[in-house]
Amino acid sequence: MAGLAGLALAGALLAAGRGALIEAAAVEPFRVEVASPHAPAADGRWSGRVVPPELAGRVVVRVDGAVRSGPEGHVQKDMSLEASRDAGDRTASAAGGGEVGAAGHDLENMVEGTFSVALGDAPGLRLIEVELPRQGGAEVATDAALVGPFRARYDDSPGCGAGVRVAARAIDRLVLPPLRDKLLAAAPSIGLLGPGTTLEEASVTLRGDALWFRVALAGEHRIAVSGALEVRVAGPRQLGVRLASLGPVEFTGTLRTRATLGAAGLGAIVTGPLAPLGALAGYALADGYIDRRARQEVETQLTAALAVASAIPLIPERAELIVGEPRSRATLAFCAVAIESGGIAAHLSVRPDKPDPKTSQEASRVRTRLAAIPGPARHGLELPPLRPVAPTADAEVELSLDTVAALLDAWTANGLLGDLMGRAQWVERVDEALGEWTTLGLAEIEVRLPPSLSPGTGDGWALTVAGLRLGLTGSEGEDPGEVLVAGRGFVRPHYDAGRGRLALAGTIDRLRLSCARAGALWPCFAALLEMGDVEARLDALLAPGAGGLPGIEVRALLRDGTRALRDGGLELADLAISYPQPGVLRVAAEVR
């Protein structure tokens, strides 16, 4: 995501020459005054005042590309004095924002050139464009607003926004073989079996709500046992496994033969003339005693072993979602688990860690970011239920939009997103390119708001970027103020099978730059974007397989994370990405 923002900035600044930059930075008569540029909209509305106010009757206001007010057939207020007198009470009503026009759009408040636009209920960033048509091309002042509801940033609620599903066939193929090997390696230590023990059978079947098993070991004696195990959430990191039922315990061998034959002889001596019946009774008693003792022993040993297994953490308490970056750490916890014939599924919560600044300067920056961002947007989207759990691939991982939004929010607050852009050397690359044809340079990129994702059309997620401030150097003449970047696009993960890498791909459909000072926004650099055909260039860089975008080496991560299960770890054979419902991303993997 940080790389995408960097691409937008690079394209915007490389589009044209020095003269156009200086001209665009000059003070323009057309401005839009706002309380705070690129800021949260506490009441779910955006308000702005057009300066000079006599231009307000000509402007078009768009929210996320859709016209909300203006001369394109939508409702607007006639700003002439005569029209104001004729309107009478209607003007006062419009000032309160209480009327709705025939097209279903808000009747905007245009008193003194002021607009107030409802931003809708969907949470996330809104791209707001105030366009003034002119001969030779329109001028556009661009703002952005962050809409709630928002979730408490570091609360203790589960927020079960991650899911994992493993197919039964994958368990049979990938998990059971190493377990069989470990079981066979431990069998010779069982005194009754001896060093020549072999594993006759070890199977696991998923049926109903239980995990059914059967194990048979043969050495000097033979032991076979079967039963059912129940699996439940036993703690944030543990799954509890309990012996639900134990089937017949088969125990055969020379020890059992000697015991039963001795009991039969003793029965014959005691009964005298009824020796045959006594022998049979003695045999049955001894045989039943051995069965009971064997069952008791097996049940005791299984219960003890399952108690130990249930205490073993299956997931880390905290994990680095970006390997080698402590600020990407998140706390993981099990929420629910389910078993059916198709496989095993679990839901987990992923809660990003609080910032832990190491210096007073970084602590100040973190406080500033936290004050500017009210918290992660809450879309209220949930993962599909645990049932049915039968995945189409060996394993599936699902993420909800709210989980991703929480991570982006936290990584913006703790500065990780900005640093990722720095590591990708976007500042240096853009600065070097600018130095080839202008005295302007790029000194820094400040990330003030997290990128915003929304469900999109079903084959990806819509992306809005705002709150990016460019630190320019080498400009001449009047200070252009803050240069702010905002834009909209569409992103989807793309899997590069050759490299085993999961990276972003997408398109850019809107990219805007505005200058700001003292609560006023005005158009700047618009000509650069058009002259440089920046959106087309960015689309080429966002195409599947393009280099320079952030990515995750999923093949290497899987291999390294499963070395304890098998020497060399498991190999990722294939990976597919889908969207089972709006706001939920599913990654399905074939493993070998």
Side-chain angles (χ1 to χ4, degrees), residues 79-109:
M79 290 301 299
S80 67
L81 179 61
E82 182 180 355
S84 298
R85 290 172 177 169
D86 291 342
D89 294 338
R90 184 177 173 85
T91 301
S93 177
E99 293 194 29
V100 177
H105 293 266
D106 290 342
L107 185 61
E108 309 298 348
N109 171 18

PDB file of all heavy atoms in Angstrom, residues 79-109:
ATOM      1  N   MET A  79     -27.567  32.145  -7.156  1.00  0.00           N
ATOM      2  CA  MET A  79     -26.887  33.072  -6.258  1.00  0.00           C
ATOM      3  C   MET A  79     -27.228  34.540  -6.520  1.00  0.00           C
ATOM      4  O   MET A  79     -26.718  35.414  -5.844  1.00  0.00           O
ATOM      5  CB  MET A  79     -25.366  32.873  -6.374  1.00  0.00           C
ATOM      6  CG  MET A  79     -24.889  31.565  -5.784  1.00  0.00           C
ATOM      7  SD  MET A  79     -25.310  31.437  -4.042  1.00  0.00           S
ATOM      8  CE  MET A  79     -24.417  32.814  -3.369  1.00  0.00           C
ATOM      9  N   SER A  80     -28.095  34.826  -7.502  1.00  0.00           N
ATOM     10  CA  SER A  80     -28.394  36.234  -7.793  1.00  0.00           C
ATOM     11  C   SER A  80     -29.230  36.833  -6.668  1.00  0.00           C
ATOM     12  O   SER A  80     -29.988  36.152  -5.984  1.00  0.00           O
ATOM     13  CB  SER A  80     -29.157  36.350  -9.118  1.00  0.00           C
ATOM     14  OG  SER A  80     -30.443  35.775  -8.998  1.00  0.00           O
ATOM     15  N   LEU A  81     -29.116  38.162  -6.486  1.00  0.00           N
ATOM     16  CA  LEU A  81     -29.857  38.847  -5.420  1.00  0.00           C
ATOM     17  C   LEU A  81     -31.354  38.740  -5.665  1.00  0.00           C
ATOM     18  O   LEU A  81     -32.142  38.513  -4.749  1.00  0.00           O
ATOM     19  CB  LEU A  81     -29.417  40.315  -5.353  1.00  0.00           C
ATOM     20  CG  LEU A  81     -30.108  41.184  -4.304  1.00  0.00           C
ATOM     21  CD1 LEU A  81     -29.830  40.623  -2.907  1.00  0.00           C
ATOM     22  CD2 LEU A  81     -29.613  42.639  -4.405  1.00  0.00           C
ATOM     23  N   GLU A  82     -31.772  38.897  -6.941  1.00  0.00           N
ATOM     24  CA  GLU A  82     -33.200  38.826  -7.265  1.00  0.00           C
ATOM     25  C   GLU A  82     -33.759  37.453  -6.938  1.00  0.00           C
ATOM     26  O   GLU A  82     -34.842  37.327  -6.380  1.00  0.00           O
ATOM     27  CB  GLU A  82     -33.409  39.156  -8.742  1.00  0.00           C
ATOM     28  CG  GLU A  82     -34.877  39.149  -9.155  1.00  0.00           C
ATOM     29  CD  GLU A  82     -35.060  39.491 -10.624  1.00  0.00           C
ATOM     30  OE1 GLU A  82     -34.052  39.832 -11.281  1.00  0.00           O
ATOM     31  OE2 GLU A  82     -36.200  39.424 -11.103  1.00  0.00           O
ATOM     32  N   ALA A  83     -33.013  36.425  -7.283  1.00  0.00           N
ATOM     33  CA  ALA A  83     -33.474  35.069  -6.996  1.00  0.00           C
ATOM     34  C   ALA A  83     -33.550  34.831  -5.503  1.00  0.00           C
ATOM     35  O   ALA A  83     -34.438  34.142  -5.015  1.00  0.00           O
ATOM     36  CB  ALA A  83     -32.540  34.043  -7.645  1.00  0.00           C
ATOM     37  N   SER A  84     -32.630  35.438  -4.751  1.00  0.00           N
ATOM     38  CA  SER A  84     -32.645  35.257  -3.303  1.00  0.00           C
ATOM     39  C   SER A  84     -33.902  35.878  -2.705  1.00  0.00           C
ATOM     40  O   SER A  84     -34.513  35.324  -1.796  1.00  0.00           O
ATOM     41  CB  SER A  84     -31.400  35.897  -2.675  1.00  0.00           C
ATOM     42  OG  SER A  84     -30.230  35.260  -3.158  1.00  0.00           O
ATOM     43  N   ARG A  85     -34.296  37.061  -3.240  1.00  0.00           N
ATOM     44  CA  ARG A  85     -35.511  37.702  -2.719  1.00  0.00           C
ATOM     45  C   ARG A  85     -36.744  36.883  -3.048  1.00  0.00           C
ATOM     46  O   ARG A  85     -37.657  36.734  -2.238  1.00  0.00           O
ATOM     47  CB  ARG A  85     -35.639  39.111  -3.307  1.00  0.00           C
ATOM     48  CG  ARG A  85     -34.587  40.087  -2.762  1.00  0.00           C
ATOM     49  CD  ARG A  85     -34.628  41.400  -3.509  1.00  0.00           C
ATOM     50  NE  ARG A  85     -33.669  42.352  -2.936  1.00  0.00           N
ATOM     51  CZ  ARG A  85     -33.347  43.487  -3.533  1.00  0.00           C
ATOM     52  NH1 ARG A  85     -33.894  43.816  -4.704  1.00  0.00           N
ATOM     53  NH2 ARG A  85     -32.471  44.309  -2.957  1.00  0.00           N
ATOM     54  N   ASP A  86     -36.796  36.368  -4.286  1.00  0.00           N
ATOM     55  CA  ASP A  86     -37.949  35.580  -4.686  1.00  0.00           C
ATOM     56  C   ASP A  86     -38.056  34.298  -3.879  1.00  0.00           C
ATOM     57  O   ASP A  86     -39.149  33.771  -3.676  1.00  0.00           O
ATOM     58  CB  ASP A  86     -37.865  35.234  -6.177  1.00  0.00           C
ATOM     59  CG  ASP A  86     -38.057  36.468  -7.044  1.00  0.00           C
ATOM     60  OD1 ASP A  86     -38.575  37.477  -6.527  1.00  0.00           O
ATOM     61  OD2 ASP A  86     -37.682  36.395  -8.242  1.00  0.00           O
ATOM     62  N   ALA A  87     -36.915  33.769  -3.441  1.00  0.00           N
ATOM     63  CA  ALA A  87     -36.933  32.486  -2.745  1.00  0.00           C
ATOM     64  C   ALA A  87     -37.554  32.606  -1.369  1.00  0.00           C
ATOM     65  O   ALA A  87     -38.155  31.671  -0.867  1.00  0.00           O
ATOM     66  CB  ALA A  87     -35.507  31.926  -2.614  1.00  0.00           C
ATOM     67  N   GLY A  88     -37.416  33.761  -0.704  1.00  0.00           N
ATOM     68  CA  GLY A  88     -38.013  33.983   0.598  1.00  0.00           C
ATOM     69  C   GLY A  88     -37.542  32.976   1.622  1.00  0.00           C
ATOM     70  O   GLY A  88     -36.359  32.810   1.851  1.00  0.00           O
ATOM     71  N   ASP A  89     -38.548  32.345   2.221  1.00  0.00           N
ATOM     72  CA  ASP A  89     -38.223  31.380   3.276  1.00  0.00           C
ATOM     73  C   ASP A  89     -37.434  30.200   2.761  1.00  0.00           C
ATOM     74  O   ASP A  89     -36.774  29.500   3.522  1.00  0.00           O
ATOM     75  CB  ASP A  89     -39.521  30.872   3.940  1.00  0.00           C
ATOM     76  CG  ASP A  89     -40.238  31.973   4.698  1.00  0.00           C
ATOM     77  OD1 ASP A  89     -39.553  32.962   5.049  1.00  0.00           O
ATOM     78  OD2 ASP A  89     -41.455  31.832   4.914  1.00  0.00           O
ATOM     79  N   ARG A  90     -37.531  29.946   1.461  1.00  0.00           N
ATOM     80  CA  ARG A  90     -36.823  28.805   0.870  1.00  0.00           C
ATOM     81  C   ARG A  90     -35.309  28.941   1.076  1.00  0.00           C
ATOM     82  O   ARG A  90     -34.602  27.965   1.307  1.00  0.00           O
ATOM     83  CB  ARG A  90     -37.147  28.724  -0.622  1.00  0.00           C
ATOM     84  CG  ARG A  90     -36.555  27.539  -1.351  1.00  0.00           C
ATOM     85  CD  ARG A  90     -37.032  27.575  -2.793  1.00  0.00           C
ATOM     86  NE  ARG A  90     -36.381  26.554  -3.587  1.00  0.00           N
ATOM     87  CZ  ARG A  90     -36.787  25.300  -3.679  1.00  0.00           C
ATOM     88  NH1 ARG A  90     -37.823  24.900  -2.982  1.00  0.00           N
ATOM     89  NH2 ARG A  90     -36.153  24.436  -4.445  1.00  0.00           N
ATOM     90  N   THR A  91     -34.826  30.209   1.023  1.00  0.00           N
ATOM     91  CA  THR A  91     -33.401  30.438   1.236  1.00  0.00           C
ATOM     92  C   THR A  91     -33.005  30.066   2.651  1.00  0.00           C
ATOM     93  O   THR A  91     -31.979  29.445   2.897  1.00  0.00           O
ATOM     94  CB  THR A  91     -33.044  31.891   0.955  1.00  0.00           C
ATOM     95  OG1 THR A  91     -33.391  32.212  -0.374  1.00  0.00           O
ATOM     96  CG2 THR A  91     -31.562  32.159   1.190  1.00  0.00           C
ATOM     97  N   ALA A  92     -33.835  30.430   3.619  1.00  0.00           N
ATOM     98  CA  ALA A  92     -33.530  30.107   5.003  1.00  0.00           C
ATOM     99  C   ALA A  92     -33.511  28.599   5.220  1.00  0.00           C
ATOM    100  O   ALA A  92     -32.679  28.065   5.950  1.00  0.00           O
ATOM    101  CB  ALA A  92     -34.554  30.767   5.932  1.00  0.00           C
ATOM    102  N   SER A  93     -34.466  27.914   4.561  1.00  0.00           N
ATOM    103  CA  SER A  93     -34.475  26.453   4.689  1.00  0.00           C
ATOM    104  C   SER A  93     -33.227  25.840   4.101  1.00  0.00           C
ATOM    105  O   SER A  93     -32.651  24.902   4.638  1.00  0.00           O
ATOM    106  CB  SER A  93     -35.721  25.888   4.001  1.00  0.00           C
ATOM    107  OG  SER A  93     -35.724  24.487   4.044  1.00  0.00           O
ATOM    108  N   ALA A  94     -32.793  26.365   2.938  1.00  0.00           N
ATOM    109  CA  ALA A  94     -31.576  25.845   2.319  1.00  0.00           C
ATOM    110  C   ALA A  94     -30.377  26.071   3.212  1.00  0.00           C
ATOM    111  O   ALA A  94     -29.474  25.244   3.291  1.00  0.00           O
ATOM    112  CB  ALA A  94     -31.350  26.514   0.961  1.00  0.00           C
ATOM    113  N   ALA A  95     -30.355  27.218   3.913  1.00  0.00           N
ATOM    114  CA  ALA A  95     -29.231  27.503   4.802  1.00  0.00           C
ATOM    115  C   ALA A  95     -29.134  26.460   5.896  1.00  0.00           C
ATOM    116  O   ALA A  95     -28.053  26.167   6.393  1.00  0.00           O
ATOM    117  CB  ALA A  95     -29.373  28.899   5.413  1.00  0.00           C
ATOM    118  N   GLY A  96     -30.268  25.869   6.279  1.00  0.00           N
ATOM    119  CA  GLY A  96     -30.236  24.812   7.288  1.00  0.00           C
ATOM    120  C   GLY A  96     -29.997  23.448   6.715  1.00  0.00           C
ATOM    121  O   GLY A  96     -29.940  22.472   7.449  1.00  0.00           O
ATOM    122  N   GLY A  97     -29.863  23.363   5.406  1.00  0.00           N
ATOM    123  CA  GLY A  97     -29.592  22.071   4.782  1.00  0.00           C
ATOM    124  C   GLY A  97     -30.781  21.142   4.847  1.00  0.00           C
ATOM    125  O   GLY A  97     -30.637  19.927   4.838  1.00  0.00           O
ATOM    126  N   GLY A  98     -32.026  21.677   4.926  1.00  0.00           N
ATOM    127  CA  GLY A  98     -33.165  20.818   5.179  1.00  0.00           C
ATOM    128  C   GLY A  98     -33.921  20.360   3.961  1.00  0.00           C
ATOM    129  O   GLY A  98     -34.809  19.535   4.068  1.00  0.00           O
ATOM    130  N   GLU A  99     -33.686  20.914   2.749  1.00  0.00           N
ATOM    131  CA  GLU A  99     -34.463  20.543   1.583  1.00  0.00           C
ATOM    132  C   GLU A  99     -33.686  19.607   0.681  1.00  0.00           C
ATOM    133  O   GLU A  99     -32.467  19.634   0.643  1.00  0.00           O
ATOM    134  CB  GLU A  99     -34.852  21.803   0.781  1.00  0.00           C
ATOM    135  CG  GLU A  99     -35.838  22.687   1.544  1.00  0.00           C
ATOM    136  CD  GLU A  99     -36.450  23.714   0.634  1.00  0.00           C
ATOM    137  OE1 GLU A  99     -36.581  23.433  -0.580  1.00  0.00           O
ATOM    138  OE2 GLU A  99     -36.803  24.803   1.103  1.00  0.00           O
ATOM    139  N   VAL A 100     -34.426  18.801  -0.056  1.00  0.00           N
ATOM    140  CA  VAL A 100     -33.830  17.884  -1.016  1.00  0.00           C
ATOM    141  C   VAL A 100     -34.443  18.142  -2.372  1.00  0.00           C
ATOM    142  O   VAL A 100     -35.660  18.278  -2.494  1.00  0.00           O
ATOM    143  CB  VAL A 100     -34.048  16.416  -0.599  1.00  0.00           C
ATOM    144  CG1 VAL A 100     -33.495  15.488  -1.650  1.00  0.00           C
ATOM    145  CG2 VAL A 100     -33.408  16.161   0.753  1.00  0.00           C
ATOM    146  N   GLY A 101     -33.611  18.222  -3.390  1.00  0.00           N
ATOM    147  CA  GLY A 101     -34.073  18.540  -4.726  1.00  0.00           C
ATOM    148  C   GLY A 101     -34.709  17.354  -5.408  1.00  0.00           C
ATOM    149  O   GLY A 101     -34.716  16.231  -4.914  1.00  0.00           O
ATOM    150  N   ALA A 102     -35.248  17.615  -6.639  1.00  0.00           N
ATOM    151  CA  ALA A 102     -35.966  16.585  -7.374  1.00  0.00           C
ATOM    152  C   ALA A 102     -35.086  15.426  -7.765  1.00  0.00           C
ATOM    153  O   ALA A 102     -35.551  14.314  -7.935  1.00  0.00           O
ATOM    154  CB  ALA A 102     -36.606  17.208  -8.619  1.00  0.00           C
ATOM    155  N   ALA A 103     -33.790  15.678  -7.927  1.00  0.00           N
ATOM    156  CA  ALA A 103     -32.893  14.607  -8.340  1.00  0.00           C
ATOM    157  C   ALA A 103     -32.443  13.759  -7.173  1.00  0.00           C
ATOM    158  O   ALA A 103     -31.658  12.837  -7.333  1.00  0.00           O
ATOM    159  CB  ALA A 103     -31.663  15.206  -9.039  1.00  0.00           C
ATOM    160  N   GLY A 104     -32.927  14.068  -5.960  1.00  0.00           N
ATOM    161  CA  GLY A 104     -32.553  13.272  -4.805  1.00  0.00           C
ATOM    162  C   GLY A 104     -31.280  13.722  -4.141  1.00  0.00           C
ATOM    163  O   GLY A 104     -30.815  13.100  -3.201  1.00  0.00           O
ATOM    164  N   HIS A 105     -30.706  14.844  -4.589  1.00  0.00           N
ATOM    165  CA  HIS A 105     -29.463  15.340  -4.000  1.00  0.00           C
ATOM    166  C   HIS A 105     -29.773  16.445  -2.997  1.00  0.00           C
ATOM    167  O   HIS A 105     -30.801  17.106  -3.049  1.00  0.00           O
ATOM    168  CB  HIS A 105     -28.527  15.871  -5.086  1.00  0.00           C
ATOM    169  CG  HIS A 105     -28.021  14.786  -5.976  1.00  0.00           C
ATOM    170  ND1 HIS A 105     -26.841  14.139  -5.765  1.00  0.00           N
ATOM    171  CD2 HIS A 105     -28.573  14.218  -7.080  1.00  0.00           C
ATOM    172  CE1 HIS A 105     -26.657  13.220  -6.700  1.00  0.00           C
ATOM    173  NE2 HIS A 105     -27.692  13.246  -7.509  1.00  0.00           N
ATOM    174  N   ASP A 106     -28.856  16.649  -2.060  1.00  0.00           N
ATOM    175  CA  ASP A 106     -29.042  17.691  -1.063  1.00  0.00           C
ATOM    176  C   ASP A 106     -29.148  19.061  -1.729  1.00  0.00           C
ATOM    177  O   ASP A 106     -28.403  19.381  -2.656  1.00  0.00           O
ATOM    178  CB  ASP A 106     -27.852  17.728  -0.090  1.00  0.00           C
ATOM    179  CG  ASP A 106     -27.835  16.522   0.809  1.00  0.00           C
ATOM    180  OD1 ASP A 106     -28.873  15.868   0.915  1.00  0.00           O
ATOM    181  OD2 ASP A 106     -26.772  16.254   1.393  1.00  0.00           O
ATOM    182  N   LEU A 107     -30.077  19.867  -1.235  1.00  0.00           N
ATOM    183  CA  LEU A 107     -30.118  21.263  -1.652  1.00  0.00           C
ATOM    184  C   LEU A 107     -29.046  21.987  -0.854  1.00  0.00           C
ATOM    185  O   LEU A 107     -29.160  22.172   0.356  1.00  0.00           O
ATOM    186  CB  LEU A 107     -31.490  21.879  -1.368  1.00  0.00           C
ATOM    187  CG  LEU A 107     -31.693  23.312  -1.864  1.00  0.00           C
ATOM    188  CD1 LEU A 107     -31.547  23.381  -3.362  1.00  0.00           C
ATOM    189  CD2 LEU A 107     -33.055  23.814  -1.427  1.00  0.00           C
ATOM    190  N   GLU A 108     -27.944  22.354  -1.506  1.00  0.00           N
ATOM    191  CA  GLU A 108     -26.768  22.843  -0.812  1.00  0.00           C
ATOM    192  C   GLU A 108     -26.979  24.262  -0.299  1.00  0.00           C
ATOM    193  O   GLU A 108     -27.695  25.070  -0.882  1.00  0.00           O
ATOM    194  CB  GLU A 108     -25.557  22.816  -1.759  1.00  0.00           C
ATOM    195  CG  GLU A 108     -25.335  21.492  -2.461  1.00  0.00           C
ATOM    196  CD  GLU A 108     -25.050  20.355  -1.495  1.00  0.00           C
ATOM    197  OE1 GLU A 108     -24.800  20.620  -0.310  1.00  0.00           O
ATOM    198  OE2 GLU A 108     -25.103  19.205  -1.930  1.00  0.00           O
ATOM    199  N   ASN A 109     -26.315  24.526   0.793  1.00  0.00           N
ATOM    200  CA  ASN A 109     -26.325  25.865   1.373  1.00  0.00           C
ATOM    201  C   ASN A 109     -25.302  26.727   0.637  1.00  0.00           C
ATOM    202  O   ASN A 109     -24.111  26.489   0.729  1.00  0.00           O
ATOM    203  CB  ASN A 109     -25.975  25.756   2.862  1.00  0.00           C
ATOM    204  CG  ASN A 109     -25.747  27.117   3.493  1.00  0.00           C
ATOM    205  OD1 ASN A 109     -26.161  28.123   2.932  1.00  0.00           O
ATOM    206  ND2 ASN A 109     -25.114  27.128   4.646  1.00  0.00           N
TER     207      ASN A 109
END
